[in-house]
Each structure stands twice: as C-alpha cells, then as structure tokens.
Amino acid sequence: MSEETAPQHTGEPNRPKGLLQQMEELMATLNADLSALNADLRAAGATGGVGAGEERAGG
C-alpha cells in the first residue's frame, strides 16, 4: 500500500498532519474498503456464492 506511505503534495510545506486528520483519513479509507467488500459479497450472493448459512466444502 504505497499510497499510505507516499507523501501527499497539497501545496503546503512539510507540515505534519494532526492525529485527528490522520484518523479521519484512515476511517474514510476503511469505510470505502468495507463498502467495496460489501458490494463484492452481495454480488457473490446474488450469483450463487457461498452464503452465511452455507458451509464450505471440507469445512
């Protein structure tokens, strides 16, 4: 995940971000990732993927 470690160029000098801003950015990223995961799981369920009530083979 190089975008997390790469410095962002916002035009401001090398001013460190505050903890609150870092947490807000992390929460926004997490929310986007969870939304994408939710969409993937719903799509898998709609196409006959393994649902919550079904067991996987060998499990």
Side-chain angles (χ1 to χ4, degrees):
M1 299 203 168
S2 60
E3 64 269 0
E4 293 178 356
T5 58
Q8 296 183 1
H9 300 287
T10 59
E12 296 181 15
N14 295 328
R15 187 173 142 221
K17 295 179 184 177
L19 182 59
L20 180 59
Q21 183 179 357
Q22 290 177 354
M23 292 300 296
E24 287 174 346
E25 290 175 2
L26 288 171
M27 291 299 293
T29 302
L30 177 61
N31 190 28
D33 289 345
L34 289 175
S35 295
L37 177 61
N38 186 28
D40 289 346
L41 291 175
R42 289 181 183 269
T47 59
V50 176
E54 300 173 358
E55 290 189 24
R56 295 177 186 245

